[in-house]
């Protein structure tokens, strides 16, 4: 994950689709491997199995001091996943964004990584009205998409929150998902970076380059994000979490 070029302590919010949960896990794993202390969490909800894959899962019941529980956890394990209770669906509930802010301010963690929205396992999405749920102290927002959608016809098997995506991009079902739509998803005020603090660094991660049918076009989109993004996408990473390959623009 050296392509991220992170410096100092960070509160990182991940948003979007196309491998966001895997990305968060790999980032925490890499940071812990370098001797960093990492608290991973969510401000929405995740599947139980996703929280349980971390070296330690901390579930905080109502009334339990969140920060204190996390501090105690990283005393014995460099990487923990912090969540609320288990829901009837089997998923783990998240913590409040204000609690994520407190974790960053008061814990000894080098990184607090918060998954700030959901995508139902699909490669591309547009945010709903209440999404994403980004903590106010976030220093870096990383928005993800899966490059396997490039050139595919707009359809529910590729895009989460279709109605919001259509409003955001002007695309209609069956039309190919091209550069214009992808740029809109990243750049529009109601797009993936919606609600990001003005001081936060914005990074676009275009995942699954190994499944992309037009890598040259993906690189062109990445360059346009760097040079024509209101609010400033500072870095674009084109890569594959599965293959462990990454190239950086910006």
């Amino acid at each position: 994950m050296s392509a991220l070029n992170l410096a100092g302590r960070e509160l990182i919010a991940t948003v979007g689709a196309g491998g966001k949960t895997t990305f968060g896990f790999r980032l925490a794993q890499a940071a812990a491997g370098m001797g960093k202390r990492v608290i991973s969490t969510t401000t929405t909800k995740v599947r139980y199995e996703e929280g349980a894959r971390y070296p330690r899962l901390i579930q905080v019941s109502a009334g339990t001091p969140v920060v204190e529980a996390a501090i105690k956890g990283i005393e014995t394990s460099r990487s923990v996943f912090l969540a609320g209770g288990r829901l009837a669906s089997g998923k783990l509930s998240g913590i409040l964004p204000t609690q994520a802010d407190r974790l960053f301010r008061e814990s000894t963690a080098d990184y607090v990584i918060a998954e700030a929205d959901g995508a139902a396992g699909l490669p591309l999405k547009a945010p709903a009205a209440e999404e994403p749920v980004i903590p106010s102290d976030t220093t870096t927002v990383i928005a993800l998409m899966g490059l396997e959608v490039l050139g595919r016809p707009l359809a529910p098997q590729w895009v989460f929150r279709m109605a919001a995506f259509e409003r955001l991009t002007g695309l209609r079902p069956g039309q190919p998902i091209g550069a214009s739509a992808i740029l809109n998803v990243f750049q529009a005020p109601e797009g993936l970076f919606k609600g990001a603090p003005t001081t936060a660094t914005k990074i676009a991660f275009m995942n699954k380059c190994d499944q992309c049918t037009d890598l040259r076009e993906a690189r062109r989109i990445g360059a346009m994000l760097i040079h024509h993004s209101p609010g400033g996408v500072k870095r674009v990473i084109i890569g594959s979490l599965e293959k462990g390959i990454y190239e950086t623009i910006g």
Side-chain angles (χ1 to χ4, degrees):
M1 294 297 179
S2 59
L4 291 175
N5 195 28
L6 299 174
R9 295 184 72 240
E10 296 266 8
L11 171 48
I12 301 165
T14 62
V15 299
K20 181 172 66 259
T21 301
T22 298
F23 172 81
F25 176 75
R26 296 279 179 82
L27 178 58
Q29 192 177 45
M34 294 187 295
K36 304 294 185 181
R37 292 188 173 188
V38 187
I39 300 172
S40 300
T41 188
T42 180
T43 54
T44 56
K45 54 190 175 184
V46 299
R47 292 196 298 271
Y48 177 83
E49 296 76 15
E50 293 167 349
R53 70 196 294 199
Y54 285 76
R56 182 170 181 184
L57 169 62
I58 301 172
Q59 291 182 245
V60 183
S61 58
T64 301
V66 171
V67 173
E68 287 77 2
I71 289 173
K72 185 175 180 181
I74 57 174
E75 286 176 354
T76 56
S77 180
R78 289 196 174 275
S79 177
V80 303
F81 191 91
L82 180 68
R86 198 164 182 177
L87 303 170
S89 64
K91 290 186 175 182
L92 293 168
S93 63
I95 66 172
L96 296 172
T98 52
Q99 292 173 320
D101 288 329
R102 284 193 60 217
L103 284 172
F104 182 56
R105 295 172 192 167
E106 300 176 25
S107 78
T108 58
D110 298 288
Y111 298 129
V112 175
I113 306 170
E115 184 172 317
D117 65 3
L122 298 179
L124 188 60
K125 72 166 291 183
E130 69 278 6
E131 296 178 309
V133 187
I134 298 177
S136 61
D137 284 355
T138 296
T139 58
T140 298
V141 180
I142 303 173
L144 288 87
M145 66 159 289
L147 279 170
E148 74 268 39
V149 302
L150 184 59
R152 300 280 189 178
L154 178 59
Q157 66 262 37
W158 300 114
V159 175
F160 187 54
R161 305 208 187 281
M162 278 277 291
F165 188 88
E166 290 178 48
R167 288 193 300 270
L168 189 63
T169 65
L171 214 59
R172 295 293 175 259
Q175 293 182 317
I177 301 169
S180 178
I182 291 172
L183 288 168
N184 274 337
V185 166
F186 281 105
Q187 293 176 326
E190 297 304 307
L192 296 180
F193 288 110
K194 181 178 70 171
T198 56
T199 56
T201 299
K202 298 176 183 176
I203 298 174
F205 191 108
M206 303 168 75
N207 188 27
K208 301 184 183 179
C209 67
D210 54 315
Q211 299 180 36
C212 180
T213 59
D214 192 346
L215 198 51
R216 173 186 276 184
E217 180 69 351
R219 292 187 178 109
R220 187 179 77 88
I221 294 168
M224 291 176 71
L225 280 173
I226 291 294
H227 297 297
H228 304 291
S229 287
V233 174
K234 298 299 183 186
R235 191 172 305 112
V236 175
I237 300 168
I238 296 175
S240 167
L241 289 168
E242 182 178 351
K243 302 293 184 182
I245 54 175
Y246 311 99
E247 61 180 86
T248 303
I249 303 172

